[in-house]
Amino acid sequence: MRVLQLIDSLQTGGAERVAVNIANALTSNIETSYLCATREEGLLKESIDTRVNYLFLNKKKTIEFKAIKNLNSFVKHNKINVIHAHSTSFFLATIIKILNKNVKIVWHDHYGNSTFLEARSYKMLKKCSKYFSVIYSVNKELEVWARETLNSTKVSYLPNFAVINIIEGRTTLKGKENKRIIHLANLREQKDHFTLLKAFKGIVSQFPEWTLHCVGKDFEDDYSKAFKQEIKTLRLEENVFVYGSKPDITHILNQAEIAVLSSKSEGLPIALLEYGLASLPTIATNVGNCNLVIANETLGQLVPSINALALSQAIINYISDMENARIKGANFKTHVQANFSANSVAKTLVEDYKRILE
C-alpha cells in the first residue's frame, strides 16, 4: 500500500497540519507514505517525518501541464495506489485519476465555514466527486452536506487529531510568566479576533498583568490591518502580542496558562486538540464540533460565538481559580489522548484504503 497525501501548501493551517500528521502517522502502518505540496511550502515542512517521501510541485496555476506531468510521473514511478487529497487539491487528484485508472482517490473535506454551507461554491467539486472512493468530513455538518450534495457512495466523519510538536523551541512569548493567554489561529475573519479583543479589554481592567498572545499566519490583508488597529484603539499594545506563524507550537503552548478559541465557525479545530495535549485550561466558542472536544464542563468551557461578555467571564472564571482551571486542563489532556489520537485515525484510514483497493 502506497499512499500520497496531496495538499496545496505547508502553511500552518488546520488542513495542512492534518495532511502532515496523517503522512507521518502512516509511516508505521503502510508500505510507503508520501506527501505532495502543490502550490507553496511553509513552516510545516520541518514537521515532516524523514520516512515520508516528499514532493513539491510549485504549481502556479489551476491547470498547469508541467505540474500535472511531474505529479503523474511521481505517482507512476512510485507505484502509488491511493491519493488522499485534502481540501481544494481534489481537482489535481481527479486529473491524475483520469490518467491512471487504477489509482483510488479519497477526499478530505476541511471546510472551515461549515456554519455557512449555503454560501459554498461546489460545482466543480460535485463533478469531480464521482471519482472519489471515500469522502472524509471533519464534522457532522459536512458529512450530512456531502451525502446530500456530492456524488460519492461512501462518506464518513473522520475526527481530526493532533500530535505533540517536536520542533526545537525557538519562540519566547512576551509578558509575565504564569499570566499568559494563548490564541492559536490564523488571522482570518472566521477566527473572530475582534470579539476576543473586546473580551480581553474587560480582563485587563481587572487583571492588568495578564497578556494575550496571538499566534497564526498573518496574511497582511484588510482583516489583519483592522485587527492591529483595534489593538491600538483599545489601548492594548502593552498586553496583546501578535507573532505570525511559528513552527514550535508545543513549546509556545507550554509557556501559556490559559488557551482560547473565539471562532465564528469551525470544523473540528486542530488548535483545540493541541491545547488539550498541552494540558491547558481551555475556552472555546460552541461552533462546529468544538462540543465533541470539550464534551462537558470537567474538560473546559464553551461559550456562544460573537459574545465578548461570555468569553470575558469564562476567562475570569479561570483566572480567579487557577487550581480548578489546571484540573480541567489535566482532564482535557486525558480526553484528547483517548479520543483524538493518531493511532486510532491511522487504523481507520488503513482499513478504508484496504477496502477500496480490493
Side-chain angles (χ1 to χ4, degrees):
M1 188 184 300
R2 294 163 174 257
V3 183
L4 170 69
Q5 305 299 315
L6 192 64
I7 186 73
D8 284 348
S9 87
L10 292 177
Q11 298 296 340
T12 54
E16 292 83 358
R17 289 182 187 277
V18 171
V20 171
N21 288 346
I22 289 177
N24 290 346
L26 289 176
T27 56
S28 302
N29 293 273
I30 63 174
E31 182 181 354
T32 316
S33 178
Y34 302 84
L35 175 69
C36 174
T38 63
R39 290 183 175 271
E40 186 181 8
E41 295 188 306
L43 291 176
L44 288 178
K45 186 177 180 180
E46 297 182 51
S47 301
I48 300 173
D49 192 298
T50 55
R51 294 171 293 174
V52 174
N53 288 264
Y54 173 66
L55 172 68
F56 175 50
L57 288 182
N58 198 24
K59 186 163 75 82
K60 303 297 185 183
K61 297 179 289 187
T62 301
I63 298 178
E64 186 175 298
F65 294 109
K66 180 181 177 182
I68 294 170
K69 181 180 178 181
N70 288 344
L71 181 57
N72 192 46
S73 296
F74 185 80
V75 167
K76 286 184 174 180
H77 176 75
N78 290 286
K79 299 178 181 178
I80 291 167
N81 44 19
V82 177
I83 298 177
H84 188 141
H86 297 262
S87 299
T88 55
S89 65
F90 70 84
F91 183 69
L92 180 57
T94 301
I95 293 174
I96 300 301
K97 164 68 177 175
I98 292 170
L99 297 173
N100 299 270
K101 293 183 180 179
N102 292 328
V103 171
K104 305 296 184 181
I105 301 176
V106 301
W107 179 59
H108 207 136
D109 187 5
H110 300 270
Y111 190 66
N113 285 325
S114 55
T115 307
F116 309 103
L117 279 168
E118 67 279 358
R120 188 177 195 180
S121 176
Y122 62 89
K123 287 184 179 180
M124 183 55 68
L125 173 60
K126 185 170 184 177
K127 290 178 181 179
C128 293
S129 64
K130 67 181 180 180
Y131 295 98
F132 304 164
S133 296
V134 181
I135 293 175
Y136 294 118
S137 304
V138 297
N139 66 31
K140 295 294 185 179
E141 290 82 4
L142 290 176
E143 180 187 11
V144 171
W145 180 85
R147 290 184 190 281
E148 294 177 347
T149 310
L150 303 181
N151 297 316
S152 181
T153 56
K154 171 70 173 173
V155 180
S156 297
Y157 161 64
L158 186 73
N160 284 341
F161 66 97
V163 296
I164 293 175
N165 181 281
I166 59 172
I167 300 295
E168 182 180 356
R170 64 189 73 165
T171 304
T172 301
L173 297 184
K174 300 174 183 178
K176 190 172 182 179
E177 191 175 354
N178 300 323
K179 305 283 186 182
R180 300 186 185 112
I181 299 167
I182 188 74
H183 184 238
L184 186 60
N186 291 340
L187 288 182
R188 293 182 8 226
E189 184 178 357
Q190 164 204 344
K191 301 297 184 178
D192 196 8
H193 292 73
F194 290 89
T195 295
L196 178 59
L197 284 182
K198 290 177 185 175
F200 188 67
K201 179 67 175 177
I203 303 297
V204 171
S205 63
Q206 295 186 53
F207 305 96
E209 291 186 330
W210 280 78
T211 51
L212 174 64
H213 304 264
C214 298
V215 176
K217 183 171 176 59
D218 184 350
F219 298 95
E220 299 181 356
D221 55 8
D222 290 343
Y223 180 85
S224 169
K225 293 173 184 175
F227 169 59
K228 292 171 185 175
Q229 180 57 49
E230 186 72 358
I231 294 172
K232 295 178 181 178
T233 301
L234 295 175
R235 297 181 179 178
L236 291 172
E237 298 99 318
E238 300 299 317
N239 293 82
V240 177
F241 304 99
V242 182
Y243 297 83
S245 297
K246 297 293 177 182
D248 51 335
I249 296 302
T250 298
H251 174 69
I252 288 171
L253 295 179
N254 288 339
Q255 298 174 62
E257 199 72 12
I258 294 171
V260 295
L261 198 64
S262 56
S263 307
K264 296 178 184 178
S265 176
E266 283 289 356
L268 196 160
I270 297 290
L272 209 52
L273 304 179
E274 291 175 326
Y275 293 165
L277 290 182
S279 301
L280 283 171
T282 297
I283 301 146
T285 47
N286 192 6
V287 295
N289 279 173
C290 291
N291 60 354
L292 295 182
V293 184
I294 302 179
N296 57 64
E297 292 183 357
T298 69
L299 306 175
Q301 299 182 79
L302 286 176
V303 298
S305 61
I306 323 176
N307 190 323
L309 183 61
L311 183 57
S312 180
Q313 187 57 56
I315 296 171
I316 289 171
N317 290 343
Y318 276 161
I319 293 175
S320 301
D321 188 357
M322 282 308 304
E323 183 177 351
N324 182 55
R326 292 188 185 102
I327 291 172
K328 289 189 177 185
N331 292 342
F332 193 27
K333 179 176 182 177
T334 301
H335 175 67
V336 168
Q337 287 178 324
N339 295 282
F340 302 94
S341 71
N343 287 340
S344 62
V345 171
K347 181 179 178 182
T348 297
L349 289 173
V350 170
E351 289 174 354
D352 284 349
Y353 296 157
K354 285 181 179 178
R355 180 184 59 79
I356 66 176
L357 288 172
E358 289 176 351

